[in-house]
């Protein structure tokens, strides 16, 4: 019984955060452009959007790389705009800012869904969003079946949100296997390609896609703290290594605190 009450309270807290941060209005204003006629439109998931917004705000993230565009792009842009305002009113040095600060780089295999997501972004948030269209090709990583976007935004993010691609967007087959089989889970290998250039403190949030998250956990070479949350249906990684040098240390102190 106690647990049931806790869950209700949590859901209420998410709904309250969604309203208080102005996200309910942002999403409501954009919902009329929600469907693009190419596939069945999924409704916004309030709990997922709140978790994403809260993490980016709490972590004071600078640069977000998003795989799989949607309402999340709008919510990330809002969080980054608020992070930018907080930075401007803090006493942090401007030199601390990384290239590409306060922007979300959203990569998607579907031109139609990318256009739908971009049409949702209000004028005041457009400078915070960069869209990249890229096909996704089936491939292998060390002989293991996975897939890769052909073109990635050339950025070094401090926050990655993995919520794409749609399995039907993965092109090709390896030895007769493809991702159109409805029992086959998506397995993005892109983060393994990028891993050597990750910076300590990086956060990776995987939305659902538990098999993909386990694949990453089994193939990452560096040291992470990570958590699989079956209730919330997400997995989170943090690159838990000492800072690389003074600049990385200073950014981490600003974003995550001295510890
Ligand atoms: C799981 S969805 C991504 C959802 C997005 N991250 C969000 O939270 O709103 C995966 C793919 O579906 C497509 N998509 C985006 N928004 C959609 C929607 N409302 N309904 C159906 N498909 C969508 C995009 O091509 C995206 O890469």
């Amino acid at each position: 019984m106690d647990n049931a009450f806790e869950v209700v309270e949590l859901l209420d807290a998410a709904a309250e955060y969604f309203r208080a941060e102005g996200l309910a209005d942002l999403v409501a204003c954009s919902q009329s452009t929600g469907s693009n006629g190419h596939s069945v439109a999924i409704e916004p998931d309030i709990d997922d959007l709140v978790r994403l917004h809260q993490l980016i705000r709490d972590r004071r993230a600078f640069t977000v790389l998003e795989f799989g565009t949607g309402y999340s792009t709008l919510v990330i842009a809002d969080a980054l705009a608020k992070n930018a305002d907080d930075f401007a009113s803090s006493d942090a040095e401007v030199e601390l800012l990384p290239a590409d600060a306060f922007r979300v780089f959203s990569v998607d295999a579907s031109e139609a869904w990318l256009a739908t997501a971009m049409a949702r972004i209000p004028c005041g948030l457009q400078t915070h969003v960069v869209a990249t269209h890229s096909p996704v090709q089936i491939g292998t990583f060390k002989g293991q079946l996975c897939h890769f976007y052909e073109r990635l935004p050339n950025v070094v993010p401090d926050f990655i949100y993995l919520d794409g691609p749609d399995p039907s967007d993965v092109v090709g087959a390896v030895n007769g296997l493809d991702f159109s089989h409805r029992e086959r889970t998506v397995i993005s290998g892109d983060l393994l390609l990028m891993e050597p250039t990750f910076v300590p403190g990086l956060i990776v949030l995987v939305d659902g896609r538990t098999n993909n998250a386990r694949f990453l956990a089994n193939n990452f070479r560096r040291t992470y703290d990570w958590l699989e949350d079956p209730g919330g249906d997400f997995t989170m990684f943090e690159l838990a290594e000492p800072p690389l040098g003074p600049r990385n240390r200073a950014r981490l102190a600003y974003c995550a605190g001295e510890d």
Side-chain angles (χ1 to χ4, degrees):
M1 199 60 173
D2 277 346
N3 282 348
F5 278 122
E6 273 171 29
V7 171
V8 171
E9 267 175 35
L10 267 178
L11 292 178
D12 282 351
E16 177 48 32
Y17 182 96
F18 204 60
R19 272 191 301 273
E21 288 289 320
L23 303 178
D25 290 340
L26 261 186
V27 168
C29 288
S30 70
Q31 251 172 316
S32 53
T33 54
S35 172
N36 62 27
H38 285 255
S39 54
V40 180
I42 306 164
E43 293 299 309
D45 184 318
I46 310 300
D47 287 342
D48 286 351
L49 296 177
V50 164
R51 179 182 308 112
L52 182 60
H53 193 273
Q54 273 182 326
L55 276 170
I56 292 170
R57 292 287 287 139
D58 287 353
R59 190 57 178 214
R60 299 170 125 188
F62 287 120
T63 307
V64 179
L65 173 59
E66 173 185 58
F67 294 93
T69 198
Y71 291 102
S72 50
T73 315
L74 177 63
V75 162
I76 295 169
D78 179 84
L80 290 174
K82 288 171 178 162
N83 286 1
D85 289 346
D86 287 354
F87 186 87
S89 57
S90 77
D91 52 12
E93 305 281 338
V94 177
E95 290 72 39
L96 192 69
L97 287 177
D100 308 312
F102 308 121
R103 289 200 281 174
V104 48
F105 293 80
S106 185
V107 57
D108 208 279
S110 159
E111 276 182 302
W113 279 116
L114 210 46
T116 300
M118 293 310 119
R120 288 195 188 107
I121 310 293
C123 292
L125 292 179
Q126 280 174 7
T127 54
H128 296 284
V129 182
V130 180
T132 300
H133 171 251
S134 169
V136 181
Q137 187 70 40
I138 199 166
T140 56
F141 180 83
K142 293 188 176 167
Q144 304 165 95
L145 196 67
C146 59
H147 47 76
F148 297 93
Y149 286 87
E150 284 179 11
R151 264 189 307 280
L152 292 171
N154 188 18
V155 292
V156 180
D158 55 2
F159 192 104
I160 296 176
Y161 182 52
L162 180 57
D163 195 24
D166 187 284
S168 64
D169 285 328
V170 182
V171 176
V174 173
N175 297 357
L177 305 179
D178 69 37
F179 282 94
S180 71
H181 194 293
R182 69 188 175 98
E183 302 300 328
R184 180 157 292 122
T185 58
V186 272
I187 301 285
S188 170
D190 303 276
L191 301 195
L192 300 173
L193 175 71
M194 297 175 66
E195 189 190 20
T197 64
F198 284 171
V199 285
L202 168 77
I203 300 281
V204 178
L205 176 64
V206 185
D207 193 332
R209 298 168 191 264
T210 310
N211 227 8
N212 198 158
R214 291 179 187 171
F215 174 74
L216 293 174
N218 288 329
N219 286 284
F220 274 153
R221 302 285 298 269
R222 299 173 71 179
T223 306
Y224 300 82
D225 289 335
W226 69 289
L227 159 86
E228 184 180 300
D229 184 326
D233 194 23
F234 69 90
T235 308
M236 219 172 99
F237 297 86
E238 178 178 17
L239 182 54
E241 288 179 356
L244 300 175
R247 185 184 290 261
N248 182 214
R249 182 183 304 279
R251 280 187 192 146
L252 266 178
Y254 176 81
C255 295
E258 291 297 336
D259 297 329

